[in-house]
Amino acid sequence: MIKDFLRIADFSSEDINHLLNLSAELKADPESRGKPLDGDTVVLYFTKPSTRTRISFEAAVAHLGGLPAMVSPAELQLGRGETIEDTARVVSEYARAFVIRTASDEDVRRFSAAASIPVINALTDNHHPCQALADLLTLNERFGRIKGLRVTYVGDAHNNVTHSLMEACALLGASIVIASPPSLRPADEILDWARAEAARHGAEVVVTDDPRGAVRGAHAVYTDVWLSMGEPEALRAERIDQLTPYRVTPALLALAVPDAIFMHCLPAHRGEEVDAAVIDGPQSVAFQQAENRLPTEMAILYALVNGLLNGAREREPAPATQGV
């Protein structure tokens, strides 16, 4: 049994498919699995601002019968020098699970190692596994399958959304094409893992600097903001200069297959990474992705507290990642 939900690569394709099936069930009927968190508290520790992740997790805990306890660094003794390990051991005595949104993957791993309760990564610099699961559910709802799809990501690809999306597509046999400037390509160790895993499932991971070539034949075209949370605003002008050729316009989206969808994890900056005509147009599923954060997070919580996930035991563990 795997205790935590830290990154997609920790799981088998069977685990991810189980979570997707459970997510679809809970989306159709949020009461279908009862109230497994009745009488329990789930601590939500966020060091970064959040709209979708915070509200969807609070709602997910409540739907499952639990009490969400939202805390910030200023409200814990971590801000006064208490160790991560001591905090994890104490919180484990009070709560049923711990959801963490912070910068450092290493901090999350340390908390996970010391905690006796499930720990869920709600976003770090390198990974955003909860978003990736919602993305998979959206793809499956739109196409009735994931295996054999071609997903194209366009723009700044050296970020948590791209990394988790690559891992998710690779595990379930969807090919993913990354179009970005060479300086903004995904982290090499995550890219290498995704390529090897995709090959196991009859898919491929391709990296190019040609957005038009990357979008041709795509079932889904995905982008994200050009300046990630925590990056200095002074970089904006440089990123705009670098990434303007990668803006998703109606003309670029038209190169995809006729029934292609446009994906974005939000928040969006219209006129930068995407034109308003695209994200607000009929092919956009950005708000369906946002909607799907709730049932997928309910599924993650339900599966972890009930010990339903086995982890990726049939292959080598994914490599640890360095800070972005």
Side-chain angles (χ1 to χ4, degrees):
M1 183 186 72
I2 189 166
K3 178 175 75 71
D4 306 310
F5 191 79
L6 304 186
R7 64 180 291 186
I8 295 294
D10 291 337
F11 297 92
S12 66
S13 56
E14 291 77 15
D15 283 331
I16 299 301
N17 276 315
H18 180 73
L19 286 172
L20 291 176
N21 290 334
L22 183 56
S23 299
E25 176 190 325
L26 290 167
K27 184 175 180 178
D29 180 6
E31 308 299 320
S32 66
R33 296 292 176 125
K35 304 289 184 182
L37 294 177
D38 186 31
D40 288 324
T41 298
V42 174
V43 175
L44 312 178
Y45 174 68
F46 282 35
T47 69
K48 293 184 174 187
S50 173
T51 299
R52 281 148 293 277
T53 304
R54 173 177 176 168
I55 297 173
S56 61
F57 260 114
E58 288 182 325
V61 173
H63 273 302
L64 295 174
L67 174 68
M70 186 74 199
V71 294
S72 69
E75 296 169 304
L76 295 184
Q77 296 293 342
L78 279 168
R80 298 181 61 243
E82 184 170 53
T83 68
I84 289 172
E85 288 76 13
D86 286 354
T87 302
R89 292 178 64 186
V90 170
V91 171
S92 295
E93 298 299 324
Y94 306 145
R96 189 66 181 86
F98 187 82
V99 179
I100 179 170
R101 180 185 180 99
T102 191
S104 170
D105 286 272
E106 178 59 25
D107 286 353
V108 175
R109 285 192 292 269
R110 285 175 59 192
F111 198 102
S112 166
S116 59
I117 58 176
V119 175
I120 298 171
N121 178 2
L123 179 145
T124 56
D125 283 349
N126 279 294
H127 299 282
H128 201 352
C130 296
Q131 179 65 53
L133 193 64
D135 296 339
L136 290 178
L137 180 60
T138 305
L139 286 166
N140 197 53
E141 288 175 337
R142 282 302 178 114
F143 296 103
R145 64 188 173 97
I146 295 170
K147 186 174 179 62
L149 294 179
R150 182 180 175 91
V151 177
T152 294
Y153 181 95
V154 182
D156 175 10
H158 196 69
N159 62 29
N160 45 29
V161 168
T162 315
H163 291 160
S164 291
L165 183 66
M166 285 196 311
E167 292 182 348
C169 287
L171 265 177
L172 294 195
S175 292
I176 182 164
V177 183
I178 308 294
S180 70
S183 61
L184 296 174
R185 62 183 284 165
D188 286 339
E189 62 271 25
I190 301 176
L191 181 59
D192 290 344
W193 182 92
R195 280 176 166 157
E197 188 64 22
R200 283 165 42 88
H201 297 279
E204 61 179 353
V205 178
V206 177
V207 178
T208 177
D209 60 2
D210 174 17
R212 291 177 61 85
V215 168
R216 286 190 179 92
H219 296 91
V221 178
Y222 201 129
T223 194
D224 193 6
V225 295
W226 288 349
L227 197 66
S228 295
M229 187 164 37
E231 292 186 305
E233 189 66 25
L235 284 176
R236 183 171 298 279
E238 177 186 338
R239 289 290 172 83
I240 290 174
D241 183 61
Q242 278 183 299
L243 291 167
T244 293
Y246 297 85
R247 178 179 297 145
V248 182
T249 63
L252 185 65
L253 186 59
L255 298 174
V257 300
D259 62 343
I261 59 176
F262 169 74
M263 306 182 76
H264 195 303
C265 61
L266 301 177
H269 291 167
R270 291 163 175 81
E272 287 191 7
E273 74 272 8
V274 60
D275 282 359
V278 172
I279 193 168
D280 298 320
Q283 292 172 273
S284 174
V285 297
F287 293 94
Q288 185 177 344
Q289 292 170 261
E291 176 190 7
N292 283 337
R293 294 295 302 276
L294 175 56
T296 50
E297 286 159 5
M298 288 179 67
I300 292 166
L301 283 162
Y302 183 90
L304 291 178
V305 300
N306 286 286
L308 302 181
L309 303 176
N310 294 317
R313 296 183 179 183
E314 77 277 12
R315 51 185 164 79
E316 291 298 312
T321 51
Q322 304 301 312
V324 172

